[in-house]
Amino acid sequence: MMDYQRQFTRPLLMRITDHGAAFAGILANRAEHDLSLAGHMLAALDEMQDAFPDLETEGIAQPFYPLK
């Protein structure tokens, strides 16, 4: 039996490795309509900022992917 890490997390990360910005853009658009998802994303951003305090965020392209 596969655990959650192998069943979901690893395959997800492997599939978005080269398309992280597009994936984040799609999630951000969905989060505009899903407050729970927005809360999770903001918490993840806080954790990332804590883990990488010198992370430069200015000037990063903001992709736009309209919802279907």
Side-chain angles (χ1 to χ4, degrees):
M1 177 178 217
M2 295 181 74
D3 64 11
Y4 189 74
Q5 173 72 11
R6 291 186 180 273
Q7 204 170 26
F8 174 75
T9 308
R10 280 180 66 194
L12 172 66
L13 293 175
M14 290 171 65
R15 289 181 67 191
I16 66 168
T17 297
D18 295 331
H19 308 290
F23 188 76
I26 291 166
L27 282 177
N29 280 338
R30 289 182 179 206
E32 290 180 356
H33 304 281
D34 184 336
L35 295 179
S36 178
L37 177 58
H40 286 291
M41 290 183 71
L42 289 172
L45 286 172
D46 287 342
E47 287 181 34
M48 186 174 67
Q49 188 65 46
D50 290 344
F52 302 98
D54 296 330
L55 187 64
E56 179 62 45
T57 57
E58 295 299 316
I60 296 174
Q62 302 294 318
F64 174 73
Y65 303 94
L67 292 175
K68 292 181 179 179

